[in-house]
Amino acid sequence: MGDGGARSRLPAFPGSMQSFLASFFPDLSFDGIAVLLLATVLGGLVRGFTGFGFAMVFMPLASMVLGPVAALGLIWFIDLPFALPIAARSAKQAEWREVLPLLATATLALPAGIWLLIWLDRETMRWILALLVLAAVALMASGWRYHGRPGIPLSLGVGVLSGLCNGMASIGGMPLAVFWLGAQRNDRHKTRANLQTFFGISTLISGATLWYAGILTTRAAMTAVPLFAVYGVGLWIGTHGFRLASEISFRRIAYLVIFLSALASLPLWDALIGR
């Protein structure tokens, strides 16, 4: 879809519909808007179902349309109204002695991740983002498990990696998902509580840093408005599906959606489909 596709006009809609779309999605083609809507609802499904994964689905796809920097600002606005209340409900079940060290080191590493995002060119960031997500899914789906109780050095290391990934592409939950979801001692309820609590607090912290870096813009906030409802629907369906699905189904569905989103976002397809 690239820059040229992003500037192409919307197809002929009735005047009111065209004005509505143009007000929230300026300079985006109809295909670009469709990709954002799909990324939002799929990300909501995975987030509600697993407790993580919204950014792992949304960022690779949205970066095709908007570029990684603009996509990062947009995802922050979309997730904010949902991340905070979900974190408040999950905090009582979270294992704080694991969450706090990770959160502290992730916060320290966050500015470095944002610097990499701004410094690297758009296509390089798309490659990094897609390959990181694919590697994480492969690791989780491989059946790898972490044995034992995590020590301080391991927790701090995972926290640093989380902060870097959060600053680059809002995928700070990815290292945590590999760490917690793969742990034999953690059931899926405890994993979701840890992740949701971490996300809520880190959203506030990253918001201040992103604002200072000029990534949280009025345009990103406006674009997020019609996506709130789409994300909320996906989140609601995913949350209720989580209560019904088995442990195996819950993981397989999440891995498949994330894998396909990252695969579709690879820049190598651009020339083939004229993106």
Side-chain angles (χ1 to χ4, degrees), residues 61-75:
L61 296 175
S63 293
M64 296 189 311
V65 179
L66 303 172
V69 176
L72 183 61
L74 177 58
I75 195 175

Side-chain angles (χ1 to χ4, degrees), residues 96-146:
W96 284 96
R97 58 184 173 183
E98 293 186 15
V99 173
L100 289 178
L102 290 164
L103 186 63
T105 50
T107 301
L108 294 175
L110 177 66
I114 294 175
W115 178 82
L116 286 171
L117 170 70
I118 297 172
W119 181 69
L120 293 170
D121 66 84
R122 173 174 174 157
E123 184 168 342
T124 301
M125 270 305 307
R126 284 181 56 201
W127 274 108
I128 291 173
L129 174 57
L131 292 176
L132 279 174
V133 172
L134 289 172
V137 173
L139 182 60
M140 288 187 289
S142 69
W144 175 84
R145 295 291 182 269
Y146 172 76

Side-chain angles (χ1 to χ4, degrees), residues 45-115:
L45 282 169
V46 172
R47 174 71 182 274
F49 197 58
T50 66
F52 74 98
F54 175 44
M56 294 173 72
V57 174
F58 181 86
M59 283 298 294
L61 296 175
S63 293
M64 296 189 311
V65 179
L66 303 172
V69 176
L72 183 61
L74 177 58
I75 195 175
W76 188 88
F77 282 112
I78 294 173
D79 200 35
L80 178 66
F82 300 93
L84 299 184
I86 291 174
R89 292 196 299 268
S90 301
K92 294 181 180 179
Q93 295 178 305
E95 292 183 311
W96 284 96
R97 58 184 173 183
E98 293 186 15
V99 173
L100 289 178
L102 290 164
L103 186 63
T105 50
T107 301
L108 294 175
L110 177 66
I114 294 175
W115 178 82

